[in-house]
Amino acid sequence: PFGNNDLKPQKTTIYELGLQQQFFEDFAFDVTAFYRDIRDWISSSQPIPTFLAGISYSQRINRDFANVRGITLAVNKRFTNHYSFGIDYTFQIAEGTNSSPDQEFFSQLNGAEPTKILTPLDWDQTHTLNANVYVGDVDWGISLIYNFYTGQPYTPTVIPGAYTGRNVLTGLTQNSRRKPVVSRFDLELHKDFNFSSFNIQFFLKVFNLFDAKNPLIVFGDTGKPDFTLEELQVRDYDPGWFDYPNFYSEPRNIYLGTKIYLK
């Protein structure tokens, strides 16, 4: 699509209502409800005809809109008695007409009508849970971090068939299915040694502690990261042809190092 010097600024209006409350001596509770109204998102116009037969073009316009609503709950304990912890949960719904400026353009190329309803955005994540616990003292510490969230939406694909016209449904609803959930643990620990002129710290960081094989991308026809129906249509193919390592989160990573602090 061509640019447009008359584009208006994109606008986001945010509403939040929160409550923070301390209970007992070391614990705090936080609840926040939020709503975001997003207008004048950049999109693509309908094909604009030219004086040349069969030739048209598309232009950037302010058309798309979206809204995000949800609530966050959190409980935290400050560091006392050699430990602290925190846990937060977010429920969120993010809906809009399109997730990117080019989405409308390519939909029109495939014969679809302009988007008229709200659908889940590509980054919509309904449930998110984070938790951490830390145990330590002046010269040592161990922390365990846990993350869990439901899969983001994707658009399922169907077996290709014959279709004509702009009003024919060529596939399933945009972002109508969900990817699998993602869950992982991270571990960090450190030990400090004090000397007369400097301090030295040894640390160990392990990301994805249990080497979870979390799928981030899936095949649209099956909803799985390791199987597509295309495998049934191809004979004598290389077994690794449909293997995509980037469909999964990173495997376990271990970092071991030192930090030196001069006094």
Side-chain angles (χ1 to χ4, degrees), residues 9-204:
Q10 301 178 106
K11 297 182 296 184
T12 300
T13 305
I14 303 176
Y15 304 90
E16 284 192 3
L17 179 63
L19 171 66
Q20 295 180 337
Q21 179 66 47
Q22 178 178 340
F23 58 98
F24 301 113
E25 184 177 354
D26 304 324
F27 294 84
F29 175 76
D30 185 359
V31 55
T32 303
F34 56 88
Y35 179 84
R36 299 170 188 168
D37 183 67
I38 307 166
R39 301 281 175 171
D40 292 332
W41 257 3
I42 307 301
S43 184
S44 301
S45 69
Q46 289 284 294
I48 302 173
T50 66
F51 62 89
L52 297 176
I55 303 298
S56 63
Y57 67 96
S58 181
Q59 190 178 40
R60 297 296 191 193
I61 61 172
N62 296 99
R63 179 184 178 274
D64 287 335
F65 57 93
N67 65 71
V68 181
R69 57 194 185 275
I71 187 171
T72 297
L73 308 173
V75 177
N76 293 281
K77 179 195 177 296
R78 67 185 182 93
F79 183 73
T80 56
N81 300 322
H82 303 291
Y83 80 99
S84 66
F85 72 83
I87 182 171
D88 64 81
Y89 165 76
T90 299
F91 173 81
Q92 175 181 276
I93 298 175
E95 296 178 320
T97 48
N98 287 298
S99 298
S100 70
D102 292 326
Q103 186 171 323
E104 185 76 18
F105 175 74
F106 289 112
S107 295
Q108 293 176 29
L109 289 182
N110 292 328
E113 284 190 324
T115 305
K116 298 178 180 178
I117 62 174
L118 295 176
T119 57
L121 297 173
D122 290 349
W123 56 87
D124 179 38
Q125 197 166 280
T126 308
H127 303 283
T128 303
L129 177 67
N130 302 299
N132 67 84
V133 59
Y134 176 81
V135 178
D137 207 336
V138 177
D139 58 353
W140 65 274
I142 302 175
S143 64
L144 184 64
I145 303 170
Y146 175 67
N147 304 111
F148 170 90
Y149 53 87
T150 52
Q152 296 174 337
Y154 73 95
T155 303
T157 57
V158 296
I159 298 175
Y163 54 86
T164 59
R166 295 183 58 81
N167 296 322
V168 177
L169 181 64
T170 61
L172 300 178
T173 305
Q174 179 76 20
N175 283 347
S176 59
R177 299 286 176 85
R178 292 279 173 172
K179 301 172 187 176
V181 300
V182 174
S183 175
R184 61 175 279 176
F185 286 89
D186 297 330
L187 176 69
E188 297 184 15
L189 57 90
H190 72 269
K191 172 63 178 176
D192 298 339
F193 296 91
N194 299 320
F195 299 94
S196 58
S197 59
F198 66 93
N199 297 337
I200 185 170
Q201 180 187 96
F202 294 92
F203 65 86
L204 173 68

